[in-house]
Amino acid sequence: MESSGKSFADALKMVRERSSPEELIKWIPSEKSVAAPFVPSLMILTLNVLALCPNEITSLKNIPDNLRLRLINRMCDKSTMNAAVLRLLVERSPTEIRVKNCSWLTQEQFHHTIGNCDTTKLQVLQLDLCGQCMLDIAFKDILNKCQECFPTLTILSLRGACGLSDDGLRNLVKSAPLLRSINLGQCTLLTSAAVNCIADVLGSQLRELYIDECNKIDAMQILPAFKKFTCLEVLSVAHMRTINDQFVNGLVTASACGKVLKDLDFSDCKLTDNSLKIIGTTCDDLRSLDISNLNKLTDSGLEYLANGCKSIQKLKLCRNEFSDVAVAAFLESSGESLLELFLNSIVKVGPHTALSLAKCSRKLVSLDVSWCRKISNEGLGLIVDSCSSLKMLKIFGCTQINKEFLEGHSNPVVKIIGSKFTPIMDHLYLLEPEEEKFLRYRFLQY
């Protein structure tokens, strides 16, 4: 993506020279409103009805993977997913088993479903929040069948599996030689030994690793393992108490994957501007970054990012103390690539940011300005009308936004979520659960 060529310092100077940003926002409400009540599609209504009647479903054969996943996700959200539906998912030789909430799944139910499944063609296995199962024992029968009982498995997600130990994970990893993506977030029994094992077995091929909220893992003890992750593109270590500037420095500058990394999640870690300086200097091809709720960050951190990371498409800055002019300067210098921007609870964001968003980030698809109460109706109207690709706008807590904007913008495709004027049930329809994306950079070549 071509950047604007403007340095952060030059952009900041230009922003500060704006005499009165409020007066520079020129937006006139459209006389003909394009806003319309949200009407759920027949597909959404059908899926919602089916999700409430799981015992009436007798077969999932010939259902496209994407529709089957949407149905299962709705069942998980409505707490209607059960063993009978799981039994339909594992029939024959499935290529995908994806259940994002298995909190209902008992050890016995696991044995009669997953335990009896033909896994020879299985490529994706997602059994998140399976806290009732001791997975070391649950997988034992499967692993005893043969040494490599998951020969084609490339994606494994066991997020929230609080009964998974280092030994259980080691046996599982050794049985799946083609693994490329592993999500172990919130697996609270895992220690540093688990990551070191993954590096030993899969180091040269693993592309995605999620270990957020695994607080028995010591960041400095796993740092040597990253020298073996030569292809790692996605790393999530959010909410880990031992993640600090020293870890980031070793990860980015001393490990094998520093230049390859494209997606980093450091939210709620103990980082300072020094980490952003290292990332900005080294990760010039970074596509996604989450630095939410890092209370030691200052505007200088945004400068390091803006000058070094010109290809960021997804950026989460929520609950930080960045100033309005600094966010605007970032957008002026590095905002052209942005597709998704999250500014939730950055209370200083206001007219400067609105002007720069409307000018420089016209490819935006999703924007969250919830609790940003210094953005006016006119500022939001300018953003929405200028960013014609914008499909999702979140404005929870923006009590200053009224019907002048909601009925006066001219963007026919945007869905506005969080308005105090929108019926609560409409929010539920609009906030359709996002499908979790695995191996998101699989088509990139090196």
Side-chain angles (χ1 to χ4, degrees):
M1 175 70 199
E2 294 294 326
S3 68
S4 65
K6 189 182 300 180
S7 72
F8 182 90
D10 290 340
L12 186 61
K13 180 181 178 182
M14 183 205 72
V15 171
R16 283 175 172 165
E17 288 175 349
R18 291 171 177 165
S19 56
S20 179
E22 293 86 353
E23 294 179 5
L24 292 175
I25 295 176
K26 305 295 183 182
W27 179 75
I28 300 175
S30 172
E31 294 182 0
K32 185 177 181 181
S33 175
V34 297
F38 176 74
V39 179
S41 67
L42 180 59
M43 177 66 72
I44 290 177
L45 293 172
T46 302
L47 289 173
N48 286 339
V49 170
L50 287 173
L52 294 173
C53 308
N55 293 327
E56 304 302 318
I57 300 174
T58 58
S59 175
L60 294 173
K61 185 180 178 181
N62 299 325
I63 304 297
D65 287 346
N66 64 323
L67 281 182
R68 185 165 58 238
L69 179 59
R70 289 175 68 183
L71 175 59
I72 299 304
N73 281 344
R74 275 171 167 72
M75 289 182 180
C76 291
D77 291 337
K78 297 177 183 297
S79 300
T80 58
M81 183 66 188
N82 59 30
V85 177
L86 182 59
R87 208 168 285 117
L88 297 178
L89 279 179
V90 304
E91 283 182 343
R92 302 176 181 84
S93 300
T95 57
E96 287 192 6
I97 300 174
R98 296 184 62 174
V99 185
K100 69 177 185 178
N101 185 349
C102 294
S103 57
W104 49 271
L105 184 64
T106 66
Q107 196 92 359
E108 183 179 0
Q109 289 170 335
F110 184 101
H111 175 74
H112 289 300
T113 53
I114 308 297
N116 291 325
C117 175
D118 179 359
T119 59
T120 54
K121 297 180 181 179
L122 192 63
Q123 298 175 21
V124 181
L125 178 59
Q126 179 182 11
L127 297 173
D128 293 346
L129 304 180
C130 48
Q132 289 194 59
C133 293
M134 296 299 295
L135 287 188
D136 294 18
I137 301 171
F139 276 112
K140 186 176 181 180
D141 291 342
I142 301 176
L143 299 178
N144 284 339
K145 293 178 182 178
C146 62
Q147 188 174 4
E148 293 184 358
C149 55
F150 295 105
T152 60
L153 192 67
T154 57
I155 296 167
L156 175 65
S157 181
L158 298 174
R159 186 173 189 83
C162 54
L164 179 66
S165 72
D166 292 344
D167 288 338
L169 179 65
R170 182 181 298 108
N171 294 331
L172 197 52
V173 166
K174 288 181 178 179
S175 72
L178 298 184
L179 273 177
R180 298 291 186 272
S181 175
I182 302 179
N183 189 337
L184 301 170
Q186 301 174 357
C187 290
T188 52
L189 288 183
L190 297 183
T191 71
S192 305
V195 177
N196 293 327
C197 169
I198 294 171
D200 290 337
V201 179
L202 303 170
S204 62
Q205 65 189 49
L206 195 71
R207 289 177 177 257
E208 299 179 351
L209 178 62
Y210 303 82
I211 51 173
D212 43 293
E213 297 188 68
C214 294
N215 278 306
K216 283 192 175 182
I217 295 176
D218 185 284
M220 300 314 296
Q221 288 184 13
I222 63 173
L223 196 52
F226 285 90
K227 294 182 179 180
K228 301 176 183 179
F229 290 128
T230 55
C231 297
L232 193 67
E233 298 166 330
V234 179
L235 175 65
S236 175
V237 289
H239 304 277
M240 289 181 63
R241 293 188 291 267
T242 56
I243 299 296
N244 54 27
D245 291 341
Q246 186 180 358
F247 172 82
V248 174
N249 182 52
L251 170 72
V252 173
T253 63
S255 71
C257 58
K259 283 282 187 181
V260 182
L261 285 167
K262 289 178 173 54
D263 192 319
L264 292 168
D265 187 348
F266 291 122
S267 58
D268 289 282
C269 294
K270 297 178 180 179
L271 304 186
T272 70
D273 291 339
N274 290 329
S275 288
L276 298 192
K277 184 176 182 180
I278 295 164
I279 292 170
T281 303
T282 310
C283 303
D284 52 7
D285 198 28
L286 196 67
R287 309 296 178 85
S288 177
L289 178 64
D290 189 343
I291 49 173
S292 300
N293 203 29
L294 305 183
N295 56 22
K296 294 183 179 180
L297 295 185
T298 70
D299 289 351
S300 296
L302 282 185
E303 180 174 5
Y304 296 134
L305 281 182
N307 290 336
C309 301
K310 298 288 187 179
S311 301
I312 293 183
Q313 297 175 351
K314 182 177 181 178
L315 182 61
K316 292 188 176 184
L317 305 175
C318 310
R319 300 183 301 283
N320 284 312
E321 293 297 318
F322 300 127
S323 68
D324 188 26
V325 292
V327 175
F330 177 88
L331 295 168
E332 293 281 345
S333 58
S334 294
E336 292 183 17
S337 301
L338 283 174
L339 300 177
E340 299 178 69
L341 179 62
F342 300 79
L343 302 175
N344 187 321
S345 299
I346 304 182
V347 295
K348 297 177 184 178
V349 159
H352 286 295
T353 296
L355 282 167
S356 296
L357 269 172
K359 173 186 172 186
C360 303
S361 300
R362 298 195 172 189
K363 293 185 178 181
L364 268 182
V365 175
S366 178
L367 175 64
D368 186 352
V369 292
S370 298
W371 305 99
C372 297
R373 291 178 172 172
K374 292 185 178 181
I375 297 182
S376 64
N377 278 304
E378 292 76 17
L380 209 50
L382 183 63
I383 294 169
V384 170
D385 287 358
S386 300
C387 301
S388 57
S389 298
L390 192 65
K391 295 181 179 179
M392 182 71 71
L393 174 66
K394 295 182 182 179
I395 56 171
F396 290 100
C398 292
T399 53
Q400 78 281 14
I401 301 301
N402 57 38
K403 291 187 177 182
E404 181 184 29
F405 160 71
L406 295 171
E407 297 178 358
H409 73 81
S410 58
N411 186 330
V413 298
V414 69
K415 294 179 180 178
I416 300 173
I417 300 175
S419 163
K420 60 185 178 182
F421 300 102
T422 304
I424 187 64
M425 292 306 297
D426 284 6
H427 292 314
L428 298 179
Y429 281 122
L430 288 167
L431 279 170
E432 184 173 356
E434 291 185 16
E435 176 186 340
E436 185 159 5
K437 297 177 181 177
F438 300 106
L439 291 179
R440 59 196 70 182
Y441 305 108
R442 70 172 74 194
F443 298 113
L444 295 180
Q445 300 296 320
Y446 301 105

